[in-house]
Amino acid sequence: MRSLRTGLSLTSLVAGLALLLTAPAAHAADTPLRDLGTAKGKVVGTAVTGSKLTGTYGDLAGAQFSSLTPGNAMKWESVEPAQGSFNWAEADQIVAFAQAHNQQVRGHTLVWHSQNPNWLTNGSWTPAQLTTLLQNHIGTEVGRYKGKIAAWDVVNEPFNEDGTYRPTLWYNGLGTDYIAKALTWARAADPAAKLYVNDYNVEGVNAKSTALYNLVKSLKERGVPIDGVGLQAHLVLGQVPSTLQQNIQRFADLGVDVAITELDIRMNLPSDSAELAQQKADYKAVTAACVAVARCVNLTVWGFTDSDSWVESTFPGQGAATPYDANYAPKPAYYGIAEALGGTGTPPPTGACTASYGVGSQWNTGFTGNVTISCSGASLSSWKVTWTYGAGQQITQAWNATCTQSGAAVSCANASYNGTVPDGGSVSFGFNASWSGSNPVPTVTLG
Ligand code: XIL
């Protein structure tokens, strides 16, 4: 007897190694952002990298968004790296993906001071040569995708912060009229595409957005084709301009569409749950401002996952700027967008709660088990832990929980007095059960 008991207590030690499982809190399947947007008359987009459009990244890009913007693939340095030598591979791929997923494409961008090929930047060009270069570039690129692009960011970032024109290759060579010329050439190459001027730090009413406003006003007065303004919206946590909606409205009142073209909201790393909650409020505020103005037609995020964002490499020490984390889990920010679009999905907690199963004492026919539910960065107001016994174990009695067992399936829910598990806290319950042969530790699920 004694030796048998010794043998059993060794088994008990092995069986007593607790299994720890992270349980994402259950939440109802959420309506995709693109469908929520459609119900509000908004197109919801994301910037994408063509090579990543497979697997989970491709699934989410296709399912959640109704518009794609190539993050880099349509920029001059991408499409014409050497003069006269074109590479359309990634741009073609993104356009094909969008068509296969019933999505719009925002073309980005035709005339910019940045991400131009070296041959262009380093050349010395007469105004006449610059005119020919730009006209050919626009005609070639817009012509290639004629009928396939909903909107073009024709001119990108033309202004300085004080509202004066940015001195660029184009401005220095051709004067302010490079903008009107570019728009006119784009219209000629694809009359159906909406033509935009796009800039950053023009989300609120300020000197720069007023310069943009005055530009659009004068273009319209002159009969130059201009259909919309793009507010990039590369924002800093907690700094959504209070005049965002008013600013969108004043452009709409000029008779142009408005798009939020490159939304991201960055924070100092590492992020914590309070920052992620603030980010949710910020995303919700931006989305709500667009929802409030009928002519705000498109809300596009500049990358939908933190694993595909320009922020970390551009702003050292900052990141976590997009609606999905690097593992494709929707962040509170995702639900901020969804809620402003009328969605009712239940956000998961920002942290996690876990359940661990342990065997206390064990004797020849029975054992005492315990389960501890712990929360960090999250909390619970009720809980249920389930598991399946693998070797015929049978619960006979439980305390601090209500347990039922049907066949091998066990389900234990909180008692009336211990459903709450606070952030940083834990709750335990115990039970007696029978066993024979072996007593393997089951995998427990909290949900
Ligand atoms: C960024 C891309 O996301 C990066 O991958 C690239 O290295 C630099 O450009 N404003 C714009 C976008 O209009 O084209 C920029 O995209 C971000 C700022």
Side-chain angles (χ1 to χ4, degrees), residues 104-135:
Q104 296 186 358
V105 178
R106 284 190 60 85
H108 176 84
T109 177
L110 298 168
V111 193
W112 195 21
H113 64 275
S114 187
Q115 292 184 274
N116 288 320
N118 286 335
W119 64 263
L120 177 64
T121 308
N122 297 338
S124 83
W125 313 101
T126 65
Q129 288 172 316
L130 273 183
T131 301
T132 305
L133 281 166
L134 190 56
Q135 184 170 10

Side-chain angles (χ1 to χ4, degrees), residues 242-407:
S242 59
T243 50
L244 174 59
Q245 185 183 324
Q246 177 194 340
N247 192 43
I248 295 172
Q249 186 67 56
R250 72 169 171 161
F251 282 106
D253 292 344
L254 269 184
V256 291
D257 291 338
V258 178
I260 309 289
T261 51
E262 306 184 14
L263 177 61
D264 52 26
I265 303 178
R266 59 189 185 267
M267 62 185 74
N268 291 328
L269 295 175
S271 59
D272 63 29
S273 55
E275 288 169 320
L276 293 172
Q278 177 65 51
Q279 188 184 45
K280 175 184 178 180
D282 292 348
Y283 266 95
K284 190 170 180 174
V286 173
T287 308
C290 184
V291 168
V293 181
R295 287 203 81 148
C296 184
V297 295
N298 181 308
L299 176 96
T300 287
V301 294
W302 202 246
F304 65 89
T305 158
D306 290 339
S307 67
D308 184 45
S309 169
W310 73 312
V311 168
E312 283 189 39
S313 58
T314 311
F315 304 94
Q318 300 180 65
T322 79
Y324 283 84
D325 73 15
N327 298 313
Y328 302 117
K331 291 158 58 183
Y334 172 93
Y335 293 95
I337 301 172
E339 287 172 15
L341 292 172
T344 53
T346 311
T350 54
C353 297
T354 60
S356 67
Y357 176 108
V359 173
S361 60
Q362 178 167 296
W363 57 96
N364 55 353
T365 57
F367 67 99
T368 298
N370 55 76
V371 172
T372 299
I373 299 133
S374 311
C375 289
S376 171
S379 60
L380 295 170
S381 56
S382 67
W383 46 262
K384 188 173 82 173
V385 181
T386 57
W387 66 87
T388 303
Y389 273 133
Q393 301 100 316
Q394 177 70 46
I395 293 198
T396 54
Q397 183 192 9
W399 50 95
N400 297 331
T402 304
C403 293
T404 56
Q405 182 167 355
S406 168

